[in-house]
Structure formats: C-alpha cells, structure tokens
Amino acid sequence: MSQNEASYTIRSLFVTALVAIVGTVVVLELSGRIDHSDNKDHVPVGDFQAIHITEGETFRMSPKASELHAVCENGYMAIAADVDPSFRGILVDYKNRGVRCYRPSPTAPAAIPEPDADAPVQPKEPAGDE
C-alpha cells in the first residue's frame, strides 16, 4: 500500500453518511422546503385498493380485521376509525371524486335529497276534498 493512497474505515464512512443525511434534513427544514401541515381536515385517513374478484377465483385476505369501518354519510362512503368514530374521511377516487353508497336509478327523476336522519318526521296529512 503506498503512502499516497487514503484508507477509510467503515466507521468513518458511516459517520459521514449519517452527518450528510442529518445535515440535509436540517437545511431543508430551515429553508422551509419541508411542509408541516397543521390543518388536519385534509389529511388522508388511509390508502385503499379495490380488488376485482370474479366468480370461482380464489382470493387471499388477511384474517385480521381492519381498525376502520365504513358508514354512509349523505350518500357517500365514509371511512371511520374504530377507536375514534369522530375521525372520518370520505372515500374518493384517484380524481378526488366521492364514492357513492348507492347507485342512482337511471329512470328515476332528478336527484332527491335524502332526508336528514336527525330531523323529526312530519306526518302527511290526508288529501281532503275541498
């Protein structure tokens, strides 16, 4: 080995890589390039996939249940956490369009708003002869 040839230990290379990574993160943080959102309203609840299954096809799924459940909110599918049901998110597709809980009838009249579940039901008065 000649004296001009530099030799580096594994430890020095590891320390150099660690310092470079930490330094990069610090510089990005101080320059404002790393965005920390305080608005939790638009944070994704999870990442989901739809898997197409045909009849007779075998499908493997984990035997453990997810810690999420689905509910229908104003006609759209919402995903909520089991531990905190108030933490909900509307399921959207890749173009940010809401996924409906029902399929509207093609022969039905224009969309009729669904009744509010919390609103009191008003009885209909019988049609009288006037």
Side-chain angles (χ1 to χ4, degrees):
M1 203 183 245
S2 70
Q3 292 200 5
N4 291 340
E5 188 176 329
S7 62
Y8 301 102
T9 64
I10 297 294
R11 175 180 258 171
S12 65
L13 291 174
F14 179 72
V15 169
T16 302
L18 185 65
V19 168
I21 292 170
V22 170
T24 301
V25 170
V26 168
V27 168
L28 289 173
E29 181 69 35
L30 293 176
S31 66
R33 303 272 180 162
I34 298 177
D35 183 30
H36 300 282
S37 176
D38 291 333
N39 184 2
K40 302 299 182 199
D41 291 340
H42 296 11
V43 176
V45 175
D47 186 25
F48 302 95
Q49 296 179 20
I51 300 172
H52 179 72
I53 302 171
T54 57
E55 190 173 331
E57 181 180 339
T58 60
F59 173 68
R60 286 186 27 182
M61 185 172 70
S62 173
K64 295 188 334 186
S66 170
E67 293 182 358
L68 301 171
H69 63 275
V71 293
C72 195
E73 289 280 332
N74 296 327
Y76 290 98
M77 185 67 72
I79 304 295
D82 290 341
V83 293
D84 184 9
S86 67
F87 186 64
R88 288 191 187 152
I90 299 294
L91 193 63
V92 294
D93 67 1
Y94 68 99
K95 288 189 175 181
N96 220 22
R97 299 174 295 196
V99 177
R100 294 186 307 260
C101 300
Y102 63 93
R103 182 175 180 169
S105 171
T107 59
I112 301 170
E114 293 183 14
D116 187 10
D118 298 333
V121 177
Q122 298 293 332
K124 284 188 170 183
E125 294 183 18
D129 295 332
E130 292 181 28

